[in-house]
Amino acid sequence: MPVRVSGLAVGLSGHLSRPGYVSASPCLRPGVVTPLTVTWLTSAQLAAVDATELPNYWRAFLPMADVPVSTTDGRPLPVDGVHVYVNARGLLSHSDGSPRRTADQWTVISSLLAESARLRSLFGPTPESWVSRALADPGLSAQGTAAFHAEGWVRPHNDFQRFARKSA
């Protein structure tokens, strides 16, 4: 269901997946309204998703009082809150510490390559070479994650800690 979420934005994970893509991760951003999608899952479906997300993500429960969610026409959802999967590896940030925002992978990878000689030496100069090299060498993604840290781009993702033990 399409919704608008107040106080939440979508940033980028502080790690590369094994095939080399940069995952999205929510981040708390007061004053920001983000169009997102809510999926209504049964308990069994939620447990199945939980099993696929660990250890890279953990589930937090966001109360409506803290992070309001409404329909696209502005009506609040008739629930106490929503669950969100939070990246456990940190967020990619800019030099000022603000989270980098998500975009399509071509744009994300192009931006990272433009800013890092380390990443260009690992993955080559283009998003196409990045994808090709990441797929050919499963260990390369771990080196890319290490490069994120070496560049000083990864900040702890502690924003959601107050919601950590409230998931059902």
Side-chain angles (χ1 to χ4, degrees):
M1 169 182 207
V3 296
R4 295 186 316 193
V5 183
S6 298
L8 192 74
V10 182
L12 295 170
S13 170
H15 83 288
L16 286 177
S17 70
R18 232 176 96 212
Y21 63 87
V22 185
S23 300
S25 184
C27 49
L28 295 174
R29 301 291 290 181
V32 171
V33 177
T34 304
L36 292 171
T37 302
V38 168
T39 303
W40 305 101
L41 302 175
T42 66
S43 295
Q45 290 168 328
L46 190 57
V49 175
D50 283 346
T52 67
E53 296 304 314
L54 293 173
N56 293 321
Y57 289 85
W58 57 275
R59 181 167 43 103
F61 181 77
L62 305 180
M64 288 293 173
D66 294 308
V67 183
V69 181
S70 62
T71 61
T72 55
D73 63 3
R75 291 177 287 132
L77 291 187
V79 294
D80 294 335
V82 295
H83 294 271
V84 64
Y85 287 90
V86 178
N87 187 286
R89 307 268 201 111
L91 289 174
L92 282 184
S93 64
H94 295 285
S95 59
D96 67 0
S98 66
R100 292 174 185 259
R101 300 294 289 271
T102 192
D104 63 88
Q105 288 293 297
W106 193 93
T107 301
V108 168
I109 292 169
S110 293
S111 172
L112 296 172
L113 287 170
E115 295 179 42
S116 174
R118 284 182 179 98
L119 290 174
R120 289 190 302 276
S121 71
L122 290 171
F123 295 103
T126 67
E128 293 81 7
S129 63
W130 176 302
V131 170
S132 177
R133 290 182 186 186
L135 290 173
D137 181 354
L140 200 55
S141 291
Q143 293 177 50
T145 297
F148 289 173
H149 286 273
E151 295 289 357
W153 293 343
V154 181
R155 73 173 179 87
H157 196 8
N158 300 326
D159 304 7
F160 290 90
Q161 291 305 315
R162 62 188 165 131
F163 304 117
R165 300 236 191 290
K166 296 181 184 179
S167 59

